[in-house]
Amino acid sequence: MRTRLVERARDGDEVAFTELVDLDGDLCYAIAFRILRDVERAQDAVQQAFLLAWRELPRLRDPERFSPWLRRLLVNACYEEHRRHRRWSSRIRALPIDGPVSSDPTVSVDDRDTLDRAFLRLSPRHRAVFVLHHHAGIPVAEIAEIVGVPIGTVKSRLHHATQALRAAIVADSQVDSTEARPA
Amino acid sequence: MTGPRDPDAIIANWLEDGPIDLPEETRRAILVGLRTQPRARQVAILRGLPIMNSLSRLAAAAAIVLAVGGLSIFALSNRNGGGPGAQPSPSPSLAPSVSPPASSTPGPLDTATWKQYVSNRYGFSISYPADWVLTPARHDWTLAVDAKDVLGGGADHFELQVPNQGVGVNAWSVAVEAGQTAASWLDSYCQLNTKPCTGIDQRSIPAQMDGHAGVIVAFTDDVQAFFLVDGRMYVVACWRPNDDPSVAKYSGAIKLVQAYVSTMHLLPGGPASPQPS
């Protein structure tokens, strides 16, 4: 069904493309938000990716490759949003992040702040592979295709990102326990 | 006092936090934007449904003029003969019968600052622009798998990573089955990879790779070079049409492929893992 939608959209059917937006829009937005950690920039990235997809769709030879192709456009749009933001803002946005407040009681406010800070210190390329793998559940080989790097590079970036976030949590825990120790 | 904390669980929960639904205003903005977005050139030719705006018509007219001009030049040059220094083509069926559109600039691209890459897998060295990113092939290229999937990892891949205007060039080689001609291989490949597969001779430009004759062919959406040497097909493919804005800085995809090909040299020992396609 999706393949047929892609074919119709490729032929200029706006209704079919609208259905694709409805099918893929939520996941694209969830991915973009998690890479950029910013609601407005995530919206801009998703919009940019879909409009580019509409423009370039006539060039997509294999409709079954639509999803990885769209994700590639999305990730590139996130990179561009990151670059654009950095151009006019030389410092990292102050926390808390511009997003919904956590509803998960197992993640404390401190943990969220710690992870947000650590995550924003990662490069967009590291963030992208981390989110694509751990949030979207995309296999490493497909991520390699999406971001255009070898599988080994994806694994390396995943490892680096995970280690950085783990280290941040562990360091934060050590500070907490030191502060809690009686004088 | 809290118990031992599991960083991975905390990270997983943190990652799940956040919005999951595309805001309605973004969805609306996308749908409104569709109407103002110009679309890429249709591959409608492939489906027999040519959709041409005035710019396309102008471009087509220019291409016809250039093709006719090129045909005359090629006919004249053929009349003069190849001369003693000319390289005989190992695959006469790939020899172009008509010249394709001429390139817009007179000279070749300057590859002096390009970086060299040695592809032991495919048995050649090749250079690429210093600002491009190289991704070596992850597996041996096969016709059945990789002709359909240009990003599948079967080719050495070079990419200019520019948002929305990226350019990709693939290079690989593959053994051609004994008895198969270059033209029949190219036809099989074309059916799986690109279009149109008719009139290839008319769109071919003669080319040389490390002293071996071959052709560069402009397809609807890409430009590719083919060299059959000692039973092995060497291919360099740029995944943009010749007149795409993304390759304008290289004076077009044909010039870009010509430049890549001009830097290629076959390794004395051949490829590391020759295998039939």
Side-chain angles (χ1 to χ4, degrees), chain A residues 7-14 17-18 21-22 25-27 29-30 33-34 37 39 42-44 46-48 50-62 65 72-73 76-77 79-80 83 97 99-104 106-108 111-113 115-116 119 125 130-131 134-135 141 144-145 147-151 162 165-166 169-170 172-173 176, chain B residues 1-2 5-44 46-47 49 51 133-138 147-153 157 159 161-166 192-195 219-224 238-241 243-246:
Chain A
E7 287 171 345
R8 282 170 48 204
R10 191 173 60 181
D11 291 340
D13 185 339
E14 290 183 11
F17 192 80
T18 303
V21 172
D22 291 338
D26 288 347
L27 181 58
Y29 179 57
F33 170 79
R34 281 159 182 80
R37 311 302 296 178
V39 167
Q43 290 174 331
D44 288 347
V46 172
Q47 185 177 338
Q48 186 185 332
F50 271 111
L51 290 180
L52 187 62
W54 170 251
R55 201 175 79 196
E56 296 290 323
L57 200 48
R59 289 203 177 108
L60 181 67
R61 287 197 191 88
D62 184 356
R65 308 295 300 162
R72 182 169 197 155
L73 298 182
N76 284 337
Y79 293 164
E80 178 58 21
R83 266 191 291 271
I97 58 166
V101 175
S102 169
S103 57
D104 188 339
T106 64
V107 184
S108 69
D111 286 338
R112 286 185 68 237
D113 287 354
L115 288 169
D116 286 337
F119 194 72
R125 283 170 169 74
F130 185 83
V131 170
H134 290 298
H135 178 71
E145 183 185 336
V147 301
V149 300
I151 290 176
T162 308
L165 296 178
R166 276 187 193 143
I169 286 290
V170 169
D172 199 46
S173 301
D176 285 350
Chain B
M1 181 67 196
T2 57
R5 287 150 42 90
D6 177 1
D8 289 344
I10 294 169
I11 292 168
N13 287 327
W14 164 81
L15 192 58
E16 291 312 302
D17 276 351
I20 53 171
D21 296 328
L22 182 68
E24 182 54 30
E25 68 262 29
T26 308
R27 180 182 176 276
R28 271 201 307 273
I30 293 167
L31 302 185
V32 169
L34 299 185
R35 281 153 213 154
T36 59
Q37 280 288 311
R39 294 203 89 193
R41 191 171 58 179
Q42 274 274 9
V43 285
L46 319 180
R47 288 173 243 139
L49 294 170
I51 296 173
V133 176
L134 160 71
T135 306
R138 298 193 296 271
K148 291 182 193 165
D149 187 2
V150 298
L151 291 175
H157 181 67
E159 186 164 341
Q161 295 183 335
V162 177
N164 308 333
Q165 289 290 309
L192 296 168
N193 177 267
T194 188
K195 295 282 178 61
F219 295 98
T220 303
D221 293 315
D222 46 73
V223 173
Q224 307 196 35
C238 173
W239 305 120
R240 291 285 187 181
D243 56 356
D244 194 84
S246 63

Side-chain angles (χ1 to χ4, degrees), chain B residues 89-94 121-124 141-143 154 170-177 180-190 200 209 212-217 224-236 264 266 271 274-277:
Chain B
S89 168
S91 51
S93 51
L94 278 183
R121 180 189 293 274
Y122 291 131
F124 57 75
W141 193 96
T142 64
L143 187 68
N170 280 5
W172 74 94
S173 70
V174 65
V176 172
E177 286 178 9
Q180 188 174 26
T181 65
S184 72
W185 184 91
L186 181 48
D187 185 57
S188 306
Y189 168 74
C190 183
I200 286 177
M209 183 273 287
H212 300 278
V215 293
I216 294 176
V217 184
Q224 307 196 35
F226 305 92
F227 302 89
L228 183 59
V229 182
D230 296 334
R232 198 165 180 86
M233 185 66 84
Y234 294 81
V235 183
V236 176
M264 285 178 79
L266 301 185
Q275 63 169 32
S277 174

Side-chain angles (χ1 to χ4, degrees), chain A:
Chain A
M1 177 202 166
R2 177 182 295 251
T3 302
R4 183 67 197 124
L5 282 177
V6 174
E7 287 171 345
R8 282 170 48 204
R10 191 173 60 181
D11 291 340
D13 185 339
E14 290 183 11
V15 175
F17 192 80
T18 303
E19 288 187 49
L20 290 171
V21 172
D22 291 338
L23 284 170
D24 290 320
D26 288 347
L27 181 58
C28 285
Y29 179 57
I31 289 171
F33 170 79
R34 281 159 182 80
I35 292 173
L36 295 166
R37 311 302 296 178
D38 184 292
V39 167
E40 286 183 7
R41 283 191 287 141
Q43 290 174 331
D44 288 347
V46 172
Q47 185 177 338
Q48 186 185 332
F50 271 111
L51 290 180
L52 187 62
W54 170 251
R55 201 175 79 196
E56 296 290 323
L57 200 48
R59 289 203 177 108
L60 181 67
R61 287 197 191 88
D62 184 356
E64 292 184 0
R65 308 295 300 162
F66 177 75
S67 288
W69 178 73
L70 177 63
R71 286 176 192 138
R72 182 169 197 155
L73 298 182
L74 178 70
V75 168
N76 284 337
C78 288
Y79 293 164
E80 178 58 21
E81 277 300 317
H82 175 77
R83 266 191 291 271
R84 191 178 302 155
H85 177 71
R86 210 172 42 179
R87 236 172 268 150
W88 57 265
S89 171
S90 60
R91 63 189 178 85
I92 290 172
R93 173 178 290 238
L95 296 175
I97 58 166
D98 183 11
V101 175
S102 169
S103 57
D104 188 339
T106 64
V107 184
S108 69
V109 173
D110 284 349
D111 286 338
R112 286 185 68 237
D113 287 354
T114 298
L115 288 169
D116 286 337
R117 268 195 295 269
F119 194 72
L120 289 173
R121 280 195 295 270
L122 296 173
S123 75
R125 283 170 169 74
H126 285 85
R127 295 186 216 170
V129 296
F130 185 83
V131 170
L132 289 171
H133 189 66
H134 290 298
H135 178 71
I138 298 172
V140 167
E142 192 176 329
I143 295 174
E145 183 185 336
I146 291 169
V147 301
V149 300
I151 290 176
T153 305
V154 173
K155 288 178 178 170
S156 161
R157 288 180 185 173
L158 268 178
H159 176 76
H160 175 82
T162 308
Q163 288 301 105
L165 296 178
R166 276 187 193 143
I169 286 290
V170 169
D172 199 46
S173 301
Q174 286 168 349
V175 170
D176 285 350
S177 60
T178 306
E179 286 173 355
R181 198 174 298 154

